[in-house]
Amino acid sequence: MKLSLVDEILIAREMKNEKTVAFVRFALFSVTSILDSLSYFGWIHYTIVPTSLITVGLDILFLIFATIVLFFLFYLPYKPYLKFFTITLDYFIIGLMIFLDPTILKGNGLIYFIAMTSAMFVFQFNLLRHSKAGTIYGAILAFIYFLVVSIGLEDGYPFDLIPMIFGLAMMLGMGYLTTVSNIEMVKEANAKQMMERFLPSQLVSEFYKNKVQLEPGGENKEVTVLFSDIRSFTKFSEQRSAEEVVQFLNEYLSRMTDVIFKFNGTIDKFIGDAIMTIFGAPFKRDDDALRAVKSAVAMIRELEKLNQKMVNPEDKLQVGIGIHTGEAIVGNIGSDRRLDYTVIGDNVNLASRIEGLTKHYNCPILISDATFKQVAGKYSLDDGFEIREIDQVVVKGKSKPITVYEVICFSLP
């Protein structure tokens, strides 16, 4: 089964953090091996109980284990199941040290505190892996480890055991919730980052509020589709370097995106210098068509501002915008690894054809009769535009003529 992009990221992060844990493990055992060896030969004294040969032997054994794990991680392909092996050995090694190392004090009920602290120490390391399975496995081992060490070395203070069991269970539970929360946060951040490229922030919030899923599938919905395209952009591009063209396009598309998002439009896709926008998906409103027209007018005004930066008058650009309202298939279309939230259908093609007619009629914005019926009576001159019928035409792919209307933009008072 193919993994999702987020799952691949989590596995890659798990591998990196596994190396981090291995480094820390190796450094820890290296330092303790050096200190215990120096203490054994009498060169330093840092423990209450003198270091014995058993302590030094355990240190060397643990250091060998840490070195082997490092070798596996850096010279062999990483396998996710390796974490279960290392978690098991970590608890086994720490338990072996507590049972056999004479420098570790265990009297007066201290063993419960040592068992709980060491169990949480290893468990916290495991949280770096960001693995739910690894966290659950580590929590089970931590609990078993705590009971084995506490009961195995119990020295007459059983009343301390019960509250520590509850305390350990609470901390293990919080660790699992932290892991799950971090994984969900990564997934949500990835999905939100992807959606914010096409949706205004308020719609993204509504997306999560309504728990809309980014799964393959679609439905028939009435939407208003807006197509915009820069006229004679090929000629404009030929007169400039690739860097200048890209820089201009980035600024142009950024400005148009801000305008579209202002009117809660959903950017379907960028097609070179063309923009395909949806109003009415993912969430339908009564004023979808009106917002599409207002967005088109604002885009024309924004282009005028951009043209003012042009040094040569002949460099000034014009756009054509076509708008049509009708039913289309709306949804996430693609594979399980790559989805596009888009609309498809005959009405989408019609919106594109209407945009193409703007060149023939030499006007910036044309809308269909279906769109006009939804905006008629809902706008005024204060909105900065007027609409007039311009012609009845038969567009490519249609046998019956459709009525098209021109949206005339004028300066606001």
Side-chain angles (χ1 to χ4, degrees), residues 190-251:
N190 179 71
K192 186 175 181 180
Q193 184 180 36
M194 180 182 67
M195 286 191 294
E196 282 183 339
R197 297 179 181 179
F198 309 100
L199 297 172
S201 57
Q202 58 268 30
L203 285 187
V204 174
S205 300
E206 196 169 344
F207 221 90
Y208 278 98
K209 182 180 178 180
N210 289 276
K211 297 181 180 180
V212 178
Q213 299 297 317
L214 289 176
E215 301 293 340
E219 58 179 332
N220 275 313
K221 293 182 69 174
E222 183 183 73
V223 294
T224 299
V225 181
L226 180 153
F227 269 98
S228 72
D229 192 21
I230 299 177
R231 295 177 185 168
S232 304
F233 189 71
T234 301
K235 181 180 178 181
F236 177 87
S237 303
E238 289 174 348
Q239 298 171 351
R240 288 162 177 77
S241 66
E243 292 78 9
E244 289 175 321
V245 173
V246 170
Q247 183 178 2
F248 170 80
L249 266 182
N250 285 339
E251 181 176 3

Side-chain angles (χ1 to χ4, degrees), residues 59-277:
D59 288 339
I60 294 174
L61 178 64
F62 301 157
L63 184 59
I64 292 173
F65 157 68
T67 305
I68 292 174
V69 172
L70 272 179
F71 174 82
F72 271 94
L73 287 174
F74 280 90
Y75 294 100
L76 295 176
Y78 176 74
K79 301 296 183 183
Y81 59 75
L82 179 64
K83 60 178 171 286
F84 301 109
F85 174 73
T86 54
I87 293 171
T88 303
L89 280 182
D90 281 339
Y91 278 114
F92 177 76
I93 285 173
I94 298 297
L96 195 64
M97 181 183 295
I98 292 175
F99 271 96
L100 300 180
D101 192 346
T103 62
I104 299 177
L105 299 178
K106 307 176 182 66
N108 299 323
L110 186 60
I111 189 58
Y112 303 127
F113 177 76
I114 293 175
M116 184 175 182
T117 303
S118 56
M120 286 305 304
F121 178 77
V122 178
F123 181 72
Q124 287 296 322
F125 262 1
N126 178 52
L127 296 184
L128 287 173
R129 296 177 172 95
H130 297 296
S131 166
K132 286 195 283 188
T135 302
I136 294 174
Y137 182 73
I140 294 173
L141 282 189
F143 204 76
I144 295 174
Y145 162 87
F146 174 76
L147 292 177
V148 169
V149 173
S150 299
I151 296 174
L153 296 175
E154 187 270 322
D155 56 355
Y157 295 84
F159 53 84
D160 291 335
L161 183 61
I162 302 301
M164 285 199 169
I165 288 177
F166 282 107
L168 178 62
M170 289 180 62
M171 287 188 284
L172 294 177
M174 288 299 295
Y176 174 75
L177 291 177
T178 300
T179 297
V180 173
S181 177
N182 287 339
I183 293 173
E184 292 302 316
M185 182 173 63
V186 170
K187 291 182 178 180
E188 288 183 7
N190 179 71
K192 186 175 181 180
Q193 184 180 36
M194 180 182 67
M195 286 191 294
E196 282 183 339
R197 297 179 181 179
F198 309 100
L199 297 172
S201 57
Q202 58 268 30
L203 285 187
V204 174
S205 300
E206 196 169 344
F207 221 90
Y208 278 98
K209 182 180 178 180
N210 289 276
K211 297 181 180 180
V212 178
Q213 299 297 317
L214 289 176
E215 301 293 340
E219 58 179 332
N220 275 313
K221 293 182 69 174
E222 183 183 73
V223 294
T224 299
V225 181
L226 180 153
F227 269 98
S228 72
D229 192 21
I230 299 177
R231 295 177 185 168
S232 304
F233 189 71
T234 301
K235 181 180 178 181
F236 177 87
S237 303
E238 289 174 348
Q239 298 171 351
R240 288 162 177 77
S241 66
E243 292 78 9
E244 289 175 321
V245 173
V246 170
Q247 183 178 2
F248 170 80
L249 266 182
N250 285 339
E251 181 176 3
Y252 168 79
L253 293 175
S254 295
R255 285 170 174 254
M256 295 303 132
T257 297
D258 290 341
V259 170
I260 293 167
F261 281 2
K262 178 182 177 181
F263 293 94
N264 285 341
T266 301
I267 294 178
D268 184 298
K269 59 176 68 70
F270 297 123
I271 313 167
D273 60 290
I275 306 173
M276 177 179 169
T277 306

Side-chain angles (χ1 to χ4, degrees), residues 5 41 50 92 115 137 160 228 243 257 306 333 336 346 362-363:
L5 177 61
F41 289 108
F92 177 76
Y137 182 73
D160 291 335
S228 72
E243 292 78 9
T257 297
L306 188 58
I333 299 172
D336 57 352
D346 185 59
N362 193 28
C363 57

